[in-house]
Each structure stands twice: as C-alpha cells, then as structure tokens.
Amino acid sequence: MAIVPALPTVAIMFGEFQNKYVYLLMKNLPKTLSVPLIMILSCVLFPGCNYSKGTKKDFSTGLSFSYNGFIVQDVLLIDPANKRMTDNKVQINTHIAIVALGVNNYQLKDNKAFPGMMLLVTDKKGTPVLKADDLFAGDQGHPPANATELRGDITIAKPMVAGETYHVKMHVWDKVKADNEINIEADLAVQ
C-alpha cells in the first residue's frame, strides 16, 4: 500500500479552487511584483542616491529644523547648564547653544568631513544682532565620527535687551556636497 502525501490530496480536492487562484496570481503577477521590484532595483542600481529628507519641530521650545541629504538624529536648544531647554526663555548675559546631534552622511574628501555652519540672530525688525557666515571657515576637515555633533553657541548680551524676542537661524551644509543641509530656526524670548 502506497502512502499518498497530504498536499496532493488537498490539491486534488480543491483542484478547481487552486487553478483559479494560480490563474489570478499569474494574471496579476506584473502588478503585484512591480512596486517591490522597482524599489529593490533602485536600491541596487543607485546606491549613491540619498533619500534622507525631513522636518521636525519641538513644540515646547518652538525650535524647528529641516534636513536634506544629511541624516540627523535631533536638534536641541541647550541652556547655560548644558541641558536641553524646555522652553525658549533665555536670561540676559548667559550663553546658550543650538546643537545638531547624530549628523551623518557627509560626502567625504580625503576621508574627512567638511561641515559649514552659518549662524544668524535678528531682532523683531530683521536687523542682525549676531551674524557668522561660516563658523568652520578655514577648517581642515574632521574624521566623520568627530563631525556628528555640531554646536552653535550664542551669547545673550548687548545689543540684545530683556523683554524682546530674537529670531535665530542656523544653516549647516556639507562643503563637499552642498545639497546636504540642515536648516534650523527658533525664537528666543530674552528675560
């Protein structure tokens, strides 16, 4: 007596159903596989393409940032005690900072990363009270692991005055691949 496997028995019992299912699967195969196939092919054929892009806003401080090309973990407002701020209020005659954390995906040159950083603080009329076109001007580059945290320090002092709000813009870019950028904005309420 021969032992018949269960699968062919099921196939025989449901043969008509199985044939319709196989027919529908084969008929729709190009549509079913086209999207995953295109995604797999694009990742294989274009490994240098960069799909890193996004925006984020911290509603407690009002700080917002967008990035394109770079991979960014987070951007924070840091208080004088070097801790994450929970609002946008700053005291006159103190130092704060904007810190970009986990910055990756630089285009390397001689195995080094070359970041650029512009920092601008303006009053309510748009008049600059602090302006630095490139805080890394003349820089000789860094190993990529040393360029993952970028910090822009701001001194809250004259010509700033208590009771006013100032707008901060920080622009970070890759000097080798200018398309890689981070744009950060925040308002600072000086106390």
Side-chain angles (χ1 to χ4, degrees), residues 136-177:
F136 292 105
D139 192 60
Q140 299 301 308
H142 305 272
N146 294 349
T148 60
E149 183 176 310
L150 302 175
R151 180 180 178 114
D153 291 314
I154 302 168
T155 301
I156 310 301
K158 288 187 178 186
M160 295 182 190
V161 294
E164 295 292 328
T165 299
Y166 296 88
H167 189 70
V168 179
K169 288 184 181 182
M170 190 163 103
H171 176 71
V172 176
W173 71 97
D174 185 338
K175 291 181 180 177
V176 179
K177 185 177 181 189

Side-chain angles (χ1 to χ4, degrees), residues 26-174:
M26 295 305 288
K27 178 181 173 188
N28 293 322
L29 192 61
K31 291 179 189 174
T32 306
L33 292 179
S34 64
V35 172
L37 185 60
I38 289 170
M39 290 176 65
I40 291 169
L41 282 175
S42 64
C43 290
V44 171
L45 295 176
F46 306 111
C49 292
N50 190 334
Y51 299 98
S52 178
K53 187 173 188 170
T55 61
K56 188 174 178 183
K57 181 165 185 156
D58 178 349
F59 291 103
S60 63
T61 63
L63 180 137
S64 64
F65 70 95
S66 63
Y67 57 95
N68 183 38
F70 278 125
I71 296 169
V72 183
Q73 180 184 350
D74 207 355
V75 177
L76 311 172
L77 274 175
I78 301 295
D79 69 13
N82 211 31
K83 295 186 177 168
R84 182 180 196 154
M85 292 174 59
T86 57
D87 60 31
N88 69 334
K89 295 178 179 120
V90 295
Q91 298 298 315
I92 197 83
N93 297 320
T94 59
H95 300 277
I96 66 155
I98 296 177
V99 180
L101 301 170
V103 180
N104 285 293
N105 204 29
Y106 287 96
Q107 180 76 41
L108 303 181
K109 180 179 176 185
D110 300 325
N111 292 319
K112 291 182 180 179
F114 290 86
M117 183 189 298
M118 182 277 302
L119 187 59
L120 175 66
V121 180
T122 56
D123 65 15
K124 62 184 174 188
K125 295 177 185 174
T127 305
V129 294
L130 177 107
K131 184 177 182 186
D133 291 327
D134 186 4
L135 294 169
F136 292 105
D139 192 60
Q140 299 301 308
H142 305 272
N146 294 349
T148 60
E149 183 176 310
L150 302 175
R151 180 180 178 114
D153 291 314
I154 302 168
T155 301
I156 310 301
K158 288 187 178 186
M160 295 182 190
V161 294
E164 295 292 328
T165 299
Y166 296 88
H167 189 70
V168 179
K169 288 184 181 182
M170 190 163 103
H171 176 71
V172 176
W173 71 97
D174 185 338

